[in-house]
Amino acid sequence: MIELTTAELALGKKLAHVDKEIRDQAVAAIGVTLARADVLTHMEMLRHWKALFYCFWLSDKPLVQQELSWELANLVIVCKGSNSVGFVRAFWETMCREWFDIDKHRIDKYLLLVRRMVFFTFRAMQQSGWDEQLVAQYLQVYQDFAAHPTDPKVPNSSRTHLADVYVDELVRMAAALLKDEEEPLAEMARIPVATLLEPFMRFVSTTTIRHLPPKIQESVFENTVIRIAEAEELANAADSDVEMGDAGDEGVARDNQIEHETLDRVQFLMDSIPDIKARLLA
């Protein structure tokens, strides 16, 4: 059990404060530590996440929860160097340890926090230029915790939630590149989709939890195909609208404000299908 010092408990209270200015100052204080420290030990990271978990526990207003989940997950890309991987690892260890104690009134906000963490983990990989060694370290975190095929200490609901949001957040990250990058399509083409899906390939092929493989396959692999099919359908509908002289709608919000993807948003998924098939059949 990780015991917090009086100072760390005080910081946790500031992180959960209803006053946004006080909360932002506390998050910024942790951000400064993460950005400046050359190397933080695993225990130091766990202590940070104990305080952050405590602060998120106390946040009770929806808008506060949404803002705070974004701010906390954004710390993944604030971290200096290898501290980012350590920060993500400490998050998943904390979540797996505390998961069963999260009550029904709080679980939704923690599911949102997990979603945000997956998104910013992808962002950290992308900002590294998809460095193979760094990507492997991030994926190993998933394999050690939420995507571990056999560990009974890992809650099955954390496994299924990770699978549910994984492709969604990968597409969200890729869509952000269309706005942020000077050559977005070239940057999207670099996304190693098949490699990113390997934790789930290994899970399906090695788990002894019989009821989970169909769920993982549906959430991850079938969802990938569905994304592509929806984009193609939307493109065909748009072509028909143009021919009929009707511009139509620009998209419909779905999956936590993810819109129906246009083909340019999911081209990177389409290009990865042969590699995914080859790895699944290997």
Side-chain angles (χ1 to χ4, degrees):
M1 183 176 180
I2 301 172
E3 297 292 341
L4 297 180
T5 65
T6 302
E8 288 168 333
L9 285 171
L11 178 60
K13 291 180 180 180
K14 289 181 179 179
L15 284 164
H17 203 283
V18 293
D19 188 323
K20 186 177 184 299
E21 183 176 351
I22 294 176
R23 189 175 69 250
D24 288 347
Q25 289 174 355
V27 172
I30 288 186
V32 169
T33 300
L34 295 173
R36 291 181 176 177
D38 290 330
V39 178
L40 291 172
T41 67
H42 182 55
M43 184 55 65
E44 287 174 319
M45 286 296 189
L46 286 175
R47 293 174 73 86
H48 280 310
W49 263 114
K50 184 71 174 182
L52 294 173
F53 186 92
Y54 174 70
C55 96
F56 202 57
W57 182 277
L58 295 178
S59 62
D60 57 355
K61 295 183 179 180
L63 289 179
V64 172
Q65 294 166 7
Q66 292 176 25
E67 291 180 5
L68 191 55
S69 66
W70 188 267
E71 291 169 356
L72 298 186
N74 185 67
L75 293 174
V76 173
I77 60 176
V78 170
C79 290
K80 182 177 180 180
S82 61
N83 282 335
S84 179
V85 175
F87 186 74
V88 174
R89 174 171 290 277
F91 165 76
W92 280 106
E93 183 172 338
T94 300
M95 288 303 300
C96 288
R97 184 184 65 246
E98 304 288 348
W99 190 276
F100 291 116
D101 292 327
I102 302 174
D103 58 67
K104 64 181 181 180
H105 303 293
R106 291 183 171 90
I107 189 62
D108 284 346
K109 66 181 180 182
Y110 280 100
L111 295 180
L112 176 62
L113 179 59
V114 167
R115 181 183 284 274
R116 297 283 188 256
M117 285 293 294
V118 171
F119 172 82
F120 277 103
T121 300
F122 283 135
R123 283 293 264 178
M125 296 183 199
Q126 182 268 327
Q127 290 182 2
S128 76
W130 301 105
D131 179 81
E132 290 185 9
Q133 183 177 359
L134 195 62
V135 169
Q137 291 175 0
Y138 283 117
L139 297 183
Q140 188 62 51
V141 172
Y142 290 131
Q143 291 170 198
D144 289 344
F145 294 101
H148 195 288
T150 58
D151 189 348
K153 295 180 182 179
V154 176
N156 284 339
S157 51
S158 72
R159 291 180 167 111
T160 56
H161 183 60
L162 175 62
D164 285 341
V165 305
Y166 200 79
V167 174
D168 288 348
E169 297 310 304
L170 179 58
V171 172
R172 189 195 303 273
M173 184 280 298
L177 298 179
L178 292 173
K179 302 176 182 178
D180 300 340
E181 299 292 328
E182 294 182 1
E183 298 182 354
L185 296 183
E187 184 63 31
M188 291 171 72
R190 298 178 61 195
I191 301 174
V193 178
T195 297
L196 297 177
L197 298 185
E198 278 188 356
F200 299 101
M201 298 180 191
R202 295 184 181 183
F203 181 91
V204 169
S205 63
T206 61
T207 186
T208 56
I209 308 171
R210 295 183 178 180
H211 70 281
L212 284 183
K215 172 62 177 174
I216 301 301
Q217 290 173 351
E218 177 184 356
S219 297
V220 178
F221 303 109
E222 293 179 22
N223 191 20
T224 301
V225 175
I226 289 171
R227 289 284 189 185
I228 296 170
E230 287 181 346
E232 290 178 332
E233 182 179 352
L234 187 63
N236 292 335
D239 290 342
S240 298
D241 289 340
V242 171
E243 292 176 3
M244 296 293 292
D246 182 5
D249 295 331
E250 294 182 355
V252 182
R254 67 188 295 271
D255 294 339
N256 195 23
Q257 299 182 340
I258 294 177
E259 296 180 348
H260 285 303
E261 281 77 38
T262 53
L263 280 175
D264 57 345
R265 291 187 177 189
V266 297
Q267 184 65 48
F268 75 103
L269 291 179
M270 298 172 66
D271 294 341
S272 70
I273 291 298
D275 194 12
I276 293 173
K277 287 183 177 178
R279 298 192 187 202
L280 285 172
L281 297 174

